[in-house]
Amino acid sequence: MLNIALPKGRLGDKVYDRLSRIGYTCEELYKDSRKLIFENPACGVRYFLVKPSDVAIYVFHGAADIGIVGKDILEEEHPDVYELYDLGFGACRMCVAGPKDFVEDRTRPLRVATKFEHTAKQYYLTQNRNIEVIKLNGSIEIAPLLGLSDVIVDIVETGTTLRENGLDVLEVIAPISARLIANKAAYRFKYDEIRLLQERLKEPEKEIKSTEEHS
Ligand code: PRP
């Protein structure tokens, strides 16, 4: 049985959709339920639904063999796991954002609100800019609106949240997408199963559909 940590929410929905198309179906998974563990012995798969920021923790400790996680979290936490494959979706950007007319006061440290403390510190270190980090856990866009920070470092996907709160992208730090990760021991012991899943993920969507049509 392959144990897979799936991030709950937008990314997890996309990931499950892709995995089910390549043969790792679990019928009961997305039914209206509060269950967090689902398995389909016929496909040799067991899914855990966890918070996106916890996927790498489950994989690192071996509670899950593999998981799918955003590159943003890998960059922030540097977990000791194998990063196997860029799924190419869940694409977004790590950005500095702020008021459209933002003018930086270089006489004092820049106040940066973010969930991504390490990423923000690293970025501004490369810019030789002193900052004061204000660590938040969500709804980061509110911080500059209330004067809590000058700017934010956050993920921008569609740009809707920024737009609807009168903010703009000021700098792009890095592109982000979903990555397949594996526990280091599980990668040895379940090498064949993990490689098979990875190879199937790489197959173009069209070929998979035509295989389904013929089966
Ligand atoms: C993320 C991110 C932004 C938003 C960006 O928040 O922190 O707030 O999505 O997406 P958009 O560009 O498509 O509007 P999330 O939805 O994870 O919620 P959070 O505020 O609780 O972190």
Side-chain angles (χ1 to χ4, degrees):
M1 197 74 105
L2 205 50
N3 296 304
I4 306 178
L6 271 188
K8 279 203 249 182
R10 288 194 268 195
L11 179 59
D13 293 349
K14 284 184 198 164
V15 170
Y16 176 70
D17 185 55
R18 182 86 177 104
L19 287 171
S20 65
R21 281 160 187 265
I22 60 170
Y24 300 90
T25 328
C26 197
E27 281 302 318
E28 57 171 358
L29 184 63
Y30 274 86
K31 285 189 184 145
D32 193 17
S33 140
R34 298 287 296 167
K35 268 184 78 171
L36 300 170
I37 300 178
F38 301 88
E39 62 180 49
N40 182 356
C43 297
V45 74
R46 182 186 293 126
Y47 288 107
F48 309 138
L49 292 181
V50 303
K51 262 186 83 109
S53 52
D54 289 343
V55 167
I57 299 172
Y58 284 88
V59 173
F60 168 70
H61 288 284
D65 301 314
I66 58 171
I68 285 91
V69 63
K71 181 71 176 170
D72 50 322
I73 290 162
L74 297 180
E75 284 295 320
E76 179 66 17
E77 291 167 8
H78 291 282
D80 190 16
V81 296
Y82 291 132
E83 182 181 330
L84 298 179
Y85 182 58
D86 180 351
L87 283 87
F89 56 77
C92 49
R93 296 170 298 161
M94 182 65 71
C95 295
V96 178
K100 288 183 189 348
D101 53 359
F102 177 68
V103 181
E104 197 173 331
D105 177 356
R106 289 198 160 259
T107 63
R108 61 167 175 81
L110 185 70
R111 292 172 309 146
V112 182
T114 187
K115 281 186 279 194
F116 302 95
E117 202 172 355
H118 174 75
T119 304
K121 282 181 179 163
Q122 281 301 115
Y123 176 67
Y124 283 104
L125 198 63
T126 65
Q127 309 284 306
N128 272 328
R129 181 73 170 102
N130 281 335
I131 64 165
E132 177 195 334
V133 173
I134 297 144
K135 170 86 166 68
L136 295 176
N137 298 302
S139 302
I140 315 296
E141 291 81 358
I142 291 179
L145 303 181
L146 301 181
L148 179 64
S149 74
D150 300 311
V151 295
I152 63 173
V153 165
D154 201 13
I155 288 166
V156 179
E157 188 176 355
T158 61
T160 310
T161 314
L162 289 184
R163 214 167 27 251
E164 294 193 355
N165 290 287
L167 303 174
D168 229 342
V169 171
L170 304 176
E171 292 155 60
V172 176
I173 298 177
I176 304 288
S177 56
R179 307 297 159 101
L180 175 67
I181 58 170
N183 172 273
K184 289 190 167 177
Y187 191 68
R188 281 204 308 278
F189 294 120
K190 299 190 180 180
Y191 182 80
D192 291 342
E193 294 99 307
I194 294 173
R195 289 294 297 187
L196 179 64
L197 181 140
Q198 187 180 342
E199 290 309 313
R200 285 179 173 174
L201 275 174
K202 286 182 186 170
E203 287 173 33
E205 199 84 7
K206 264 190 200 152
E207 285 178 25
I208 293 155
K209 275 186 188 149
S210 67
T211 314
E212 278 172 2
E213 277 159 19
H214 289 120
S215 61

Short mmCIF file of all heavy atoms in Angstrom, two decimals, residues 10 115-116 137-141 154-162, ligand 1:
data_model
loop_
_atom_site.label_atom_id
_atom_site.label_comp_id
_atom_site.label_asym_id
_atom_site.label_seq_id
_atom_site.Cartn_x
_atom_site.Cartn_y
_atom_site.Cartn_z
N ARG A 10 -7.58 23.70 -2.67
CA ARG A 10 -7.47 23.88 -4.13
C ARG A 10 -6.47 22.93 -4.77
O ARG A 10 -6.77 22.24 -5.72
CB ARG A 10 -6.98 25.30 -4.44
CG ARG A 10 -7.98 26.38 -4.22
CD ARG A 10 -7.51 27.66 -4.87
NE ARG A 10 -6.75 28.50 -3.96
CZ ARG A 10 -6.49 29.78 -4.20
NH1 ARG A 10 -6.87 30.34 -5.31
NH2 ARG A 10 -5.79 30.50 -3.33
N LYS A 115 3.51 34.77 5.82
CA LYS A 115 3.52 33.41 6.39
C LYS A 115 4.90 32.80 6.17
O LYS A 115 5.25 31.81 6.80
CB LYS A 115 2.50 32.53 5.65
CG LYS A 115 1.07 32.71 6.03
CD LYS A 115 0.18 31.69 5.34
CE LYS A 115 -0.15 32.09 3.92
NZ LYS A 115 -1.26 31.33 3.31
N PHE A 116 5.63 33.36 5.20
CA PHE A 116 6.89 32.75 4.74
C PHE A 116 8.09 33.54 5.27
O PHE A 116 8.77 34.26 4.53
CB PHE A 116 6.89 32.69 3.21
CG PHE A 116 5.73 31.92 2.65
CD1 PHE A 116 4.57 32.57 2.24
CD2 PHE A 116 5.78 30.53 2.56
CE1 PHE A 116 3.50 31.86 1.74
CE2 PHE A 116 4.71 29.82 2.07
CZ PHE A 116 3.56 30.48 1.65
N ASN A 137 -0.55 34.18 9.92
CA ASN A 137 -0.93 32.82 9.50
C ASN A 137 -1.93 32.79 8.36
O ASN A 137 -2.25 31.72 7.86
CB ASN A 137 -1.50 32.06 10.71
CG ASN A 137 -0.45 31.91 11.79
OD1 ASN A 137 0.62 31.35 11.54
ND2 ASN A 137 -0.72 32.44 12.96
N GLY A 138 -2.45 33.92 7.96
CA GLY A 138 -3.39 33.94 6.84
C GLY A 138 -3.92 35.35 6.64
O GLY A 138 -3.60 36.26 7.41
N SER A 139 -4.71 35.51 5.57
CA SER A 139 -5.27 36.84 5.23
C SER A 139 -4.20 37.93 5.31
O SER A 139 -4.43 39.02 5.84
CB SER A 139 -6.44 37.20 6.15
OG SER A 139 -7.44 36.22 6.07
N ILE A 140 -3.04 37.62 4.76
CA ILE A 140 -1.88 38.51 4.85
C ILE A 140 -2.16 39.90 4.25
O ILE A 140 -1.61 40.91 4.69
CB ILE A 140 -0.66 37.89 4.10
CG1 ILE A 140 -0.50 36.40 4.44
CG2 ILE A 140 0.63 38.66 4.39
CD1 ILE A 140 -0.19 36.11 5.86
N GLU A 141 -3.03 39.89 3.23
CA GLU A 141 -3.28 41.14 2.49
C GLU A 141 -3.82 42.26 3.37
O GLU A 141 -3.73 43.44 3.01
CB GLU A 141 -4.26 40.87 1.33
CG GLU A 141 -3.70 40.01 0.20
CD GLU A 141 -3.73 38.51 0.50
OE1 GLU A 141 -4.17 38.12 1.61
OE2 GLU A 141 -3.30 37.73 -0.37
N ASP A 154 3.96 37.01 -0.22
CA ASP A 154 2.91 36.00 -0.24
C ASP A 154 2.79 35.39 -1.64
O ASP A 154 3.39 35.88 -2.60
CB ASP A 154 1.57 36.64 0.18
CG ASP A 154 0.56 35.62 0.68
OD1 ASP A 154 0.95 34.46 0.93
OD2 ASP A 154 -0.62 35.96 0.80
N ILE A 155 1.95 34.36 -1.70
CA ILE A 155 1.69 33.69 -2.96
C ILE A 155 0.61 34.45 -3.73
O ILE A 155 -0.40 34.84 -3.15
CB ILE A 155 1.19 32.27 -2.67
CG1 ILE A 155 2.35 31.42 -2.18
CG2 ILE A 155 0.57 31.64 -3.88
CD1 ILE A 155 1.87 30.15 -1.57
N VAL A 156 0.86 34.62 -5.01
CA VAL A 156 -0.16 35.20 -5.89
C VAL A 156 -0.48 34.17 -6.95
O VAL A 156 0.42 33.70 -7.65
CB VAL A 156 0.36 36.50 -6.54
CG1 VAL A 156 -0.71 37.07 -7.47
CG2 VAL A 156 0.76 37.52 -5.48
N GLU A 157 -1.76 33.80 -7.02
CA GLU A 157 -2.15 32.82 -8.05
C GLU A 157 -2.90 33.56 -9.15
O GLU A 157 -2.34 33.89 -10.18
CB GLU A 157 -2.98 31.70 -7.43
CG GLU A 157 -3.24 30.57 -8.41
CD GLU A 157 -3.99 29.40 -7.80
OE1 GLU A 157 -4.23 29.39 -6.58
OE2 GLU A 157 -4.33 28.48 -8.57
N THR A 158 -4.16 33.89 -8.92
CA THR A 158 -4.93 34.61 -9.95
C THR A 158 -4.74 36.13 -9.82
O THR A 158 -5.03 36.87 -10.75
CB THR A 158 -6.42 34.31 -9.78
OG1 THR A 158 -6.84 34.77 -8.49
CG2 THR A 158 -6.71 32.83 -9.91
N GLY A 159 -4.32 36.58 -8.66
CA GLY A 159 -4.17 38.02 -8.41
C GLY A 159 -5.44 38.66 -7.87
O GLY A 159 -5.47 39.85 -7.55
N THR A 160 -6.50 37.86 -7.74
CA THR A 160 -7.80 38.39 -7.31
C THR A 160 -7.74 38.99 -5.90
O THR A 160 -8.26 40.09 -5.68
CB THR A 160 -8.86 37.26 -7.33
OG1 THR A 160 -8.79 36.62 -8.59
CG2 THR A 160 -10.25 37.82 -7.11
N THR A 161 -7.10 38.27 -4.98
CA THR A 161 -7.05 38.76 -3.59
C THR A 161 -6.34 40.11 -3.52
O THR A 161 -6.80 41.03 -2.83
CB THR A 161 -6.36 37.74 -2.66
OG1 THR A 161 -6.87 36.45 -2.94
CG2 THR A 161 -6.61 38.07 -1.21
N LEU A 162 -5.24 40.25 -4.26
CA LEU A 162 -4.53 41.54 -4.27
C LEU A 162 -5.43 42.63 -4.86
O LEU A 162 -5.62 43.68 -4.27
CB LEU A 162 -3.25 41.44 -5.10
CG LEU A 162 -2.09 40.62 -4.53
CD1 LEU A 162 -0.88 40.72 -5.44
CD2 LEU A 162 -1.73 41.10 -3.12
C1 PRP B 1 -3.48 32.32 -0.64
C2 PRP B 1 -2.48 33.43 -0.56
C3 PRP B 1 -3.30 34.64 -1.05
C4 PRP B 1 -4.24 34.00 -2.05
C5 PRP B 1 -3.74 34.28 -3.44
O1 PRP B 1 -4.26 32.36 0.50
O2 PRP B 1 -1.98 33.60 0.74
O3 PRP B 1 -4.01 35.22 0.00
O4 PRP B 1 -4.24 32.58 -1.80
O5 PRP B 1 -4.59 33.73 -4.42
P1 PRP B 1 -5.15 34.60 -5.61
O6 PRP B 1 -4.01 35.32 -6.24
O7 PRP B 1 -5.75 33.58 -6.57
O8 PRP B 1 -6.20 35.55 -5.08
P2 PRP B 1 -5.17 31.14 0.93
O9 PRP B 1 -6.36 31.02 0.02
O10 PRP B 1 -4.33 29.92 1.01
O11 PRP B 1 -5.70 31.58 2.36
P3 PRP B 1 -4.98 32.29 3.58
O12 PRP B 1 -5.24 33.75 3.44
O13 PRP B 1 -5.65 31.70 4.76
O14 PRP B 1 -3.52 31.97 3.56
#
